[in-house]
Amino acid sequence: MERNACFNYNTLPMENAFNVRELGGYAARKGSITKYHEFLRSDSLTDITAEDQEFLIKYGLKAVIDLRGREETLIYPNPFRENPQVAYINLPFITETVLDMRAVREEGFRPEVFYVNLVEYKEMVKELFQFILAHAEGCILFHCQAGKDRTGILAMLLLGICGVSREDIIANYQVTHTYLKNHVELRIEDGLEELEYSKPEWIEAAYDHIMNDYGSFRKYLLSAGLSKKDIKAIRRKLIQKAL
């Protein structure tokens, strides 16, 4: 596969990861646009090739945020964990209610409620943004196992604080199932097959919760413990004036 790491890709051409996508190229606040080569969202990187790894390094990758639980990281290790060229951190962005799938079956599971619960896990949201602020130079990749739920919420927060439209944020989330459905077995069974999908109403619930309960993404992040200076720094990293 011929690839040029200087190009701006929407979906990166990887051999064994199928949902590695840019946050660049979206219309943002005050006539700006989100930058390429600053943030990538991804599914698991466990099976990527050495060539894939080198391609990401050349693309500008400097830091990886692994949003999975500790057990997930042991079963499906991240290849950048020991790479001296990349700053790696595991920040489990998950609530205990979904750690045990048996409990999910017994108690019932509503994805839209889970997404709102992730938004309200503000201690972890603050940690995530503090890591981002500490590694503002270069491209940051963040991922979970499928690159859908936990990854989708962080992508929404980053795009939201930059003023990307509700419709574009939902669309960015929604295509995950399209990219994964023919490539990845998500190991979902016993009546939970619906969780393989990336239904727009799930991310809509999280988006609308922020807007209805906080009024804006800025106010939400302030409530999570970020400062006005922090928020400005995130925006500087991700957006630029359109030509």
Side-chain angles (χ1 to χ4, degrees):
M1 179 187 300
E2 282 195 31
R3 300 176 289 185
N4 189 329
C6 295
F7 288 172
N8 294 332
Y9 294 95
N10 290 322
T11 304
L12 273 65
M14 308 284 287
E15 293 287 347
N16 290 319
F18 309 99
N19 193 24
V20 185
R21 294 187 278 124
E22 266 280 358
L23 293 194
Y26 287 97
R29 64 196 301 266
K30 297 181 179 179
S32 60
I33 186 170
T34 57
K35 300 177 191 174
Y36 285 91
H37 297 264
E38 295 293 341
F39 285 100
L40 297 172
R41 55 173 296 168
S42 176
D43 52 330
S44 173
L45 301 176
T46 298
D47 296 325
I48 66 172
T49 64
E51 290 77 15
D52 281 338
Q53 293 183 52
E54 183 62 25
F55 172 65
L56 286 172
I57 296 293
K58 289 180 178 178
Y59 196 78
L61 184 66
K62 294 294 184 183
V64 170
I65 304 174
D66 192 333
L67 301 171
R68 301 173 300 166
R70 308 292 185 196
E71 185 176 350
E72 289 176 284
T73 66
L74 293 174
I75 298 172
Y76 307 104
N78 187 299
F80 288 106
R81 188 174 194 125
E82 306 298 333
N83 190 316
Q85 295 177 275
V86 175
Y88 170 91
I89 192 169
N90 176 216
L91 293 173
F93 192 24
I94 195 164
T95 65
E96 292 185 2
T97 56
V98 296
L99 289 178
D100 188 336
M101 295 305 283
R102 289 171 300 174
V104 170
R105 288 197 292 272
E106 291 167 2
E107 299 170 10
F109 180 62
R110 295 173 57 201
E112 64 272 26
V113 174
F114 171 53
Y115 280 31
V116 170
N117 288 342
L118 285 180
V119 166
E120 286 301 321
Y121 190 6
K122 290 193 280 189
E123 311 97 287
M124 182 55 70
V125 169
K126 182 178 180 181
E127 283 193 56
L128 290 167
F129 276 87
Q130 285 177 330
F131 180 84
I132 289 169
L133 289 163
H135 298 83
E137 297 299 320
C139 184
I140 299 173
L141 181 150
F142 56 96
H143 78 98
C144 52
Q145 194 63 23
K148 178 170 73 76
D149 305 311
R150 295 161 282 185
T151 298
I153 291 296
L154 182 51
M156 178 192 73
L157 296 178
L158 287 164
L159 295 175
I161 197 60
C162 293
V164 173
S165 72
R166 183 177 186 269
E167 293 79 6
D168 278 340
I169 288 172
I170 293 167
N172 176 269
Y173 165 80
Q174 197 174 351
V175 298
T176 289
H177 181 253
T178 301
Y179 287 117
L180 293 182
K181 64 181 180 179
N182 293 324
H183 299 287
V184 178
E185 171 56 57
L186 297 181
R187 299 175 179 85
I188 295 175
E189 54 187 16
D190 296 331
L192 294 174
E193 291 82 3
E194 181 186 38
L195 301 185
E196 292 188 3
Y197 292 89
S198 46
K199 295 188 175 181
E201 56 265 31
W202 299 346
I203 201 74
E204 287 171 356
Y207 184 100
D208 293 343
H209 173 73
I210 288 176
M211 300 306 291
N212 293 334
D213 284 40
Y214 297 94
S216 68
F217 280 85
R218 178 179 177 275
K219 290 178 180 178
Y220 162 76
L221 288 177
L222 289 171
S223 77
L226 297 180
S227 68
K228 295 177 182 178
K229 182 179 178 181
D230 293 335
I231 292 170
K232 288 180 180 178
I234 294 292
R235 287 172 172 163
R236 281 197 304 271
K237 175 172 175 57
L238 187 51
I239 61 179
Q240 64 184 24
K241 285 292 183 183
L243 297 177

